[in-house]
Structure formats: structure tokens, C-alpha cells
């Protein structure tokens, strides 16, 4: 695939929807599924650094888009 995919801005509310559990997609990428378990548990803690958690998820997609492209596309297109 030669098209460039733009990762959503950290301020996009979809990140918080994913991490809070308000948006609950079924992920195809196993590494993403494992990461999301850890991040969603951390996100609900009262002392959570939610900005850092969003950045960690964004970094995952940036670094692993070739494996997680379908999951990211479903999130962006609202099919999650």
C-alpha cells in the first residue's frame, strides 16, 4: 500500500472513547488487543495520566500501522 495514513491528533475524542471503553471494537491485531487491555485498565484509574496513555496508543499505531491498519481504519471510519 503506497498511501500514507495520517494518525489522528491526540486531541481527537476517539482516543478517549477507545481507552474509556465507550468505543469497543473487535481488534484483528493481537498486539493491539493485548495493549488495549493494559491501557484501558490504566485509563480508568483515578491517578491515570490519560494524555500519556493516548500518546502510547498513538505511538503504537504510528509504529505498527502495517499490522494494525485495518483496526485503525475501522476506528477512523466509525466502524468500531
Amino acid at each position: 500500500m503506497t498511501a500514507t495514513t495520517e494518525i489522528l491528533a491526540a486531541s481527537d475524542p476517539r482516543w478517549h472513547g477507545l481507552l474509556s471503553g465507550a468505543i469497543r471494537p473487535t481488534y484483528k491485531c493481537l498486539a493491539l488487543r493485548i495493549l488495549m487491555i493494559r491501557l484501558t485498565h490504566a485509563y480508568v484509574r483515578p491517578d491515570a495520566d490519560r494524555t500519556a496513555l493516548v500518546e502510547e496508543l498513538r505511538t503504537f499505531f504510528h509504529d505498527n500501522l502495517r499490522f494494525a491498519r485495518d483496526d485503525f481504519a475501522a476506528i477512523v471510519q466509525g466502524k468500531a
Side-chain angles (χ1 to χ4, degrees):
M1 210 175 243
T2 59
T4 307
T5 301
E6 185 72 28
I7 302 301
L8 300 172
S11 60
D12 192 298
R14 286 174 279 197
W15 295 123
H16 294 282
L18 290 167
L19 293 172
S20 70
I23 301 171
R24 301 190 81 131
T26 302
Y27 300 110
K28 294 179 182 179
C29 176
L30 178 60
L32 178 58
R33 281 189 262 170
I34 294 167
L35 176 65
M36 287 303 295
I37 290 168
R38 185 177 62 75
L39 293 180
T40 54
H41 285 293
Y43 189 87
V44 297
R45 293 177 49 108
D47 61 340
D49 182 351
R50 291 184 174 97
T51 302
L53 295 171
V54 167
E55 281 303 321
E56 186 174 350
L57 184 54
R58 289 184 75 241
T59 299
F60 173 85
F61 278 114
H62 180 269
D63 295 347
N64 300 288
L65 196 58
R66 66 184 176 163
F67 300 112
R69 183 178 304 278
D70 291 343
D71 292 323
F72 185 74
I75 292 164
V76 170
Q77 296 169 4
K79 296 178 183 175

